[in-house]
Amino acid sequence: MNYRHAYHAGNHADVLKHWLLTRCIALMQKKSAPIAYIDTHAGIGLYDLQGEEALKTDEWREGIARLWGSDQPLLVDYLHAVSELNDDDELRYYPGSPELVRCLTRSQDHLYLNEKHPTDGQLLKENMRIDLRVTVHLGEGWHVPRALLPTAEKRLLMLIDPPFEEGDDLQSCVRALEESLARMRQAIVCLWYPVKDVAQLRRFYQQLQKSSAPSLLRVELYVHKPDDATRLNGSGMVICNPPWGLEDELRQLLPWLAETLQQSAGGWRLDWLIAD
Ligand SMILES: C[S@@+](CC[C@H](N)C(=O)[O-])C[C@H]1O[C@@H](n2cnc3c(N)ncnc32)[C@H](O)[C@@H]1O
């Protein structure tokens, strides 16, 4: 387990993933019934962009820094959550998915977070200790669907966000999706993945299309042409059972986001792998 998210916090991939999470929560909260949020690979929850790791890569400068100060209406919730961590207008702290969701959820909602790395797991516990709605587990992320589902709350948002250090993480994502749907068919499940090796991704899409998912919306955002499998050309999220209204919002924001975050090239894709 070499991956540490502190090197990548706030990069273009975090922006897409975290903006999508923000919108899923906002759209789910149109109803008052409690929501459970599960993060199978949670990280530490909160990142210092002036910390040693973040400064080593400076990835956030091509990510959240490019959005900072924007008045784009669909970014209001997301940027507000980030600004709550920062004094004045200076961008220094960035929320990982646990802290972002913690800020956006209500008293009736619950968060179940899992992180396997022992040091990062302890940091996550410390960062979340003030909030009684949060439970932190320090176990294997791939066991989470079997261990925690079904949740007491009937409405579930789950993020599956592994580090992709292992060659079979894409297949493990499909298996985790299947295991989750077998226990909670109505769950909203978000699978994050890097856009690197296009041939590998093609197999991933085929496996997803053969899955038992009732619906799967695919979103991808590119900051380079996807023609070099050794670099992070972009990122994607497959959303099972996306909340009503998300597709429209994506269609509105993706062109702007692709233009704002592009590096050597920019682009996006939005389509259904399995239509509703
Ligand atoms: C991409 S990061 C998560 C980022 C986080 N979801 C966010 O958006 O802020 C992946 C995390 O998975 C953890 N991890 C790696 N292997 C794991 C495993 N088998 N089970 C659970 N967590 C694991 C890593 O330590 C790392 O913190």
Side-chain angles (χ1 to χ4, degrees):
M1 290 180 62
N2 293 319
Y3 182 95
R4 311 299 295 274
H5 197 64
Y7 290 95
H8 310 290
N11 70 3
H12 61 86
D14 259 10
V15 166
L16 176 68
K17 169 177 59 183
H18 293 155
W19 175 74
L20 270 164
L21 275 182
T22 303
R23 295 316 303 157
C24 284
I25 289 166
L27 293 165
M28 288 175 84
Q29 287 180 344
K30 288 190 170 179
K31 293 183 187 152
S32 60
I35 297 168
Y37 170 73
I38 293 186
D39 207 323
T40 58
H41 299 72
I44 65 174
L46 184 62
Y47 299 93
D48 181 356
L49 300 176
Q50 294 301 321
E52 198 185 315
E53 296 96 336
L55 286 177
K56 215 168 200 159
T57 61
D58 261 352
E59 288 185 17
W60 62 277
R61 292 192 196 278
E62 310 301 337
I64 183 65
R66 291 201 187 182
L67 270 53
W68 198 236
S70 158
D71 57 2
Q72 172 58 244
L74 281 171
L75 290 176
V76 168
D77 295 1
Y78 170 53
L79 292 179
H80 179 70
V82 181
S83 72
E84 288 281 284
L85 296 173
N86 291 286
D87 293 333
D88 309 320
D89 287 338
E90 196 205 351
L91 173 60
R92 163 132 196 208
Y93 296 102
Y94 184 77
S97 46
E99 178 62 13
L100 182 72
V101 175
R102 201 183 69 74
C103 289
L104 295 168
T105 42
R106 309 158 299 183
S107 57
Q108 66 267 42
D109 302 328
H110 288 96
L111 284 74
Y112 306 91
L113 312 173
N114 183 76
E115 169 57 49
K116 190 176 176 185
H117 192 288
T119 314
D120 283 5
Q122 282 310 325
L123 287 170
L124 178 65
K125 274 198 164 175
E126 277 165 39
N127 285 331
M128 296 292 126
R129 73 178 186 283
I130 47 164
D131 198 326
L132 297 175
R133 301 169 308 141
V134 183
T135 311
V136 177
H137 299 272
L138 305 182
E140 170 53 56
W142 300 121
H143 294 169
V144 167
R146 274 168 281 154
L148 298 186
L149 269 60
T151 53
E153 300 80 6
K154 291 202 165 46
R155 304 167 72 221
L156 168 65
L157 174 64
M158 176 148 87
L159 173 64
I160 301 180
D161 183 20
F164 291 92
E165 287 178 315
E166 312 287 337
D168 59 357
D169 272 1
L170 287 169
Q171 287 96 304
S172 301
C173 281
V174 180
R175 203 176 316 120
L177 172 69
E178 290 278 24
E179 287 173 354
S180 305
L181 292 173
R183 287 161 180 79
M184 285 182 83
R185 187 142 182 83
Q186 75 284 14
I188 297 175
V189 183
C190 299
L191 302 180
W192 181 90
Y193 56 92
V195 174
K196 285 185 171 175
D197 183 337
V198 179
Q200 221 176 48
L201 282 182
R202 239 179 261 127
R203 288 193 288 279
F204 173 57
Y205 306 143
Q206 284 165 1
Q207 287 175 339
L208 285 169
Q209 280 168 322
K210 283 191 216 142
S211 76
S212 61
S215 65
L216 286 177
L217 183 63
R218 169 174 58 183
V219 186
E220 289 180 356
L221 185 77
Y222 320 110
V223 299
H224 299 290
K225 265 197 177 157
D227 57 4
D228 176 351
T230 63
R231 69 179 173 199
L232 187 65
N233 297 307
S235 64
M237 189 92 112
V238 168
I239 305 144
C240 174
N241 294 321
W244 178 251
L246 186 67
E247 184 186 5
D248 278 355
E249 292 192 355
L250 277 161
R251 262 187 220 291
Q252 287 176 54
L253 190 74
L254 280 171
W256 182 90
L257 211 50
E259 198 178 315
T260 306
L261 295 177
Q262 68 172 319
Q263 295 179 31
S264 64
W268 58 279
R269 146 148 95 175
L270 178 66
D271 56 8
W272 291 89
L273 283 174
I274 299 179
D276 209 347

